[in-house]
Amino acid sequence: MTVTDDLRSLILGGHYAPGARLGEVDLAETLGVSRTPVREALWRLQAEGLVEITANKGARVVEYPREDLETIFELRARIEGLAARQAAVTATAEDAAHLHEVAVAIRDHAGRRDLDTVYRLNADFHQALVRLGGSMVLAQSISSLVHSAVLLRTYNSFDDEAMRRSVDHHIEIAAAVRAGDPEWAEAVMRAHLFSARASLLGPRHHETNLHHETSPHQETE
């Protein structure tokens, strides 16, 4: 593995929280390398959207404002919904069986609140769907969005009900792929991601514009 791979794993594994400072000297000591490959890794991870480098302030793990998080989930729902749709068209019976096995493993580890394993299996599940879709454009579009979601450690904010719902979605998506039903697969994937959004961000805030018109017969004082 490269220094970039090692640092990416530390960030996505939750070793460094969103907003945490990434000092080159400390990282070099942690990773057992010189500062030069650390600096190169930070620039590469900035291109991936995991790190933010600011002049005179150094590098930090990216921290997303609420507005960006809303956009991330909207984009993931659309793009990964399309990936699930395409997977339902292209998957073989063996592919669908593998997805089901991963979904069941997610359920088992989620029941034990083994979240580190759940994160890994969840990534395997979503990546398998993207591979089955067979589109490089979809894969590239999803990559940075998935990184942002993993960075947020979404499952940490799930209560028991939200966790059960997420687990059930994985199993149902696998069932839709096995049935070769693209509409079903897309619909459940979109519901899956919007459910995760609700668990992380809470209720949506819809702005309403109230127009108060003065009655033509109302006198102004």
Side-chain angles (χ1 to χ4, degrees):
M1 292 179 66
T2 66
V3 174
T4 302
D5 293 331
D6 289 339
L7 182 52
R8 184 191 299 110
S9 296
L10 287 173
I11 294 173
L12 295 179
H15 187 81
Y16 297 104
R21 184 178 179 277
L22 299 170
E24 291 182 8
V25 174
D26 292 339
L27 289 174
E29 182 176 345
T30 298
L31 298 172
V33 297
S34 67
R35 292 177 61 180
T36 298
V38 167
R39 189 177 302 115
E40 293 172 352
L42 289 171
W43 282 105
R44 289 194 179 98
L45 294 179
Q46 178 176 241
E48 293 183 12
L50 285 176
V51 170
E52 179 182 24
I53 301 175
T54 306
N56 302 321
K57 292 184 179 180
R60 292 183 180 276
V61 179
V62 166
E63 187 172 21
Y64 296 93
R66 182 187 177 93
E67 293 77 10
D68 286 348
L69 295 178
E70 293 279 7
T71 301
I72 286 168
F73 278 105
E74 289 284 349
L75 289 173
R76 285 194 69 194
R78 293 175 185 273
I79 298 173
E80 292 199 58
L82 180 57
R85 166 183 282 272
Q86 292 188 188
V89 174
T90 62
T92 65
E94 184 178 356
D95 294 329
H98 172 68
L99 283 175
H100 178 72
E101 289 174 3
V102 176
V104 170
I106 291 173
R107 180 190 63 194
D108 293 343
H109 286 280
R112 297 193 290 269
R113 300 299 292 190
D114 179 7
L115 295 187
D116 286 338
T117 304
V118 169
Y119 280 113
R120 178 178 57 79
L121 292 170
N122 180 69
D124 290 346
F125 185 90
H126 285 262
Q127 288 167 7
L129 282 174
V130 174
R131 285 195 301 271
L132 291 174
S135 169
M136 182 62 69
V137 173
L138 275 178
Q140 291 174 342
S141 299
I142 291 170
S143 178
S144 63
L145 296 173
V146 171
H147 279 173
S148 67
V150 174
L151 180 64
L152 292 167
R153 306 291 284 179
T154 313
Y155 285 115
N156 288 346
S157 63
F158 281 11
D159 58 19
D160 290 343
E161 181 181 355
M163 184 66 81
R164 283 194 299 270
R165 189 162 54 243
S166 178
V167 164
D168 289 344
H169 283 154
H170 286 109
I171 292 175
E172 188 173 359
I173 290 167
V177 171
R178 175 177 289 169
D181 191 323
E183 285 78 14
W184 182 15
E186 180 177 16
V188 181
M189 178 59 79
R190 288 174 62 87
H192 176 62
L193 290 165
F194 285 134
S195 174
R197 189 221 69 84
S199 295
L200 181 66
L201 302 179
R204 292 183 185 272
H205 301 296
H206 299 286
E207 294 184 2
T208 56
N209 294 319
L210 301 178
H211 300 284
H212 300 284
E213 298 183 355
T214 303
S215 168
H217 302 294
Q218 182 178 349
E219 296 181 0
T220 55
E221 298 179 351

